[in-house]
Structures are given as structure tokens and as C-alpha cells.
Amino acid sequence: MEKEHHKAELGYTLARDHWGKGIMSEAIAAVLHFGFNTYRFHRVEAITRPANVGSIQALLKNGFVQEGSLQGEHLLERHLRTTHVSGSWQVISAQRRVPTI
């Protein structure tokens, strides 16, 4: 969270037994509502791996847009991995997020 810039990064982990139930999508919606309305964030960012389709879908469902990819940004098991950067930001009101490309 960067209060002076009115932005935050969203991160989460969910046990595999609970994947595909909409739990994370609902949690993301609640966190965004709180961040935009209570902390007055203008931007919330999230970083995902391209293979994490469920996470990408949950972010898209909540108004995030993929803004780019960081090629070779992450070292995992001795291999460089690519990550996606997504963002959601509010322009008009506390009740409505307006993603922009």
C-alpha cells in the first residue's frame, strides 16, 4: 500500500480445495470496495502468472485489465518465468471502477 500515491497491490492465496467456487472473486470485490471507498485508492494492482487462469478470471470479473507482461521477471525452479501485471482503478466515483487500457 502506498498511501501517498493512493494505490495498493492485491495479493492472495487460496487452498486448492476451494478453487472454482467464486470465493476469491467475492473476496476481491470486497477488498476493492473497501480500498476505493475507505482508503480512497485510485489504483489497485495485481500480478499473476499466465498459467493461473482462475486468478486471471477472478481479476477480470472484478474490473482488472491486463496492462502488460514482465518477461523473465520471476525465478522459479531455476527457470525464469513471465508474470502479468493487471490494474484496476477508479476514475468517476467511489461506487464505480473504470478500467482503462
Side-chain angles (χ1 to χ4, degrees):
M1 179 167 59
E2 297 179 32
K3 287 184 181 180
E4 65 276 9
H5 298 292
H6 301 279
K7 71 177 187 173
E9 183 175 330
L10 177 65
Y12 47 85
T13 302
L14 186 65
R16 187 177 299 259
D17 292 348
H18 301 292
W19 290 4
K21 298 179 181 177
I23 295 168
M24 193 52 65
S25 185
E26 186 176 330
I28 290 169
V31 168
L32 291 177
H33 184 269
F34 183 81
F36 286 134
N37 290 293
T38 302
Y39 282 108
R40 301 308 223 191
F41 289 148
H42 293 285
R43 179 178 177 82
V44 176
E45 302 169 345
I47 297 175
T48 61
R49 286 189 226 138
N52 193 342
V53 176
S55 183
I56 292 167
Q57 289 175 339
L59 293 170
L60 291 172
K61 182 177 179 180
N62 280 284
F64 281 79
V65 294
Q66 181 181 338
E67 296 178 328
S69 296
L70 303 172
Q71 302 296 321
E73 185 271 338
H74 185 75
L75 186 64
L76 180 66
E77 297 173 1
R78 299 185 336 189
H79 293 88
L80 290 173
R81 306 293 181 177
T82 297
T83 57
H84 288 178
V85 179
S86 301
S88 175
W89 54 95
Q90 171 182 329
V91 177
I92 296 174
S93 75
Q95 299 299 317
R96 183 173 173 209
R97 291 183 311 283
V98 181
T100 308
I101 296 177

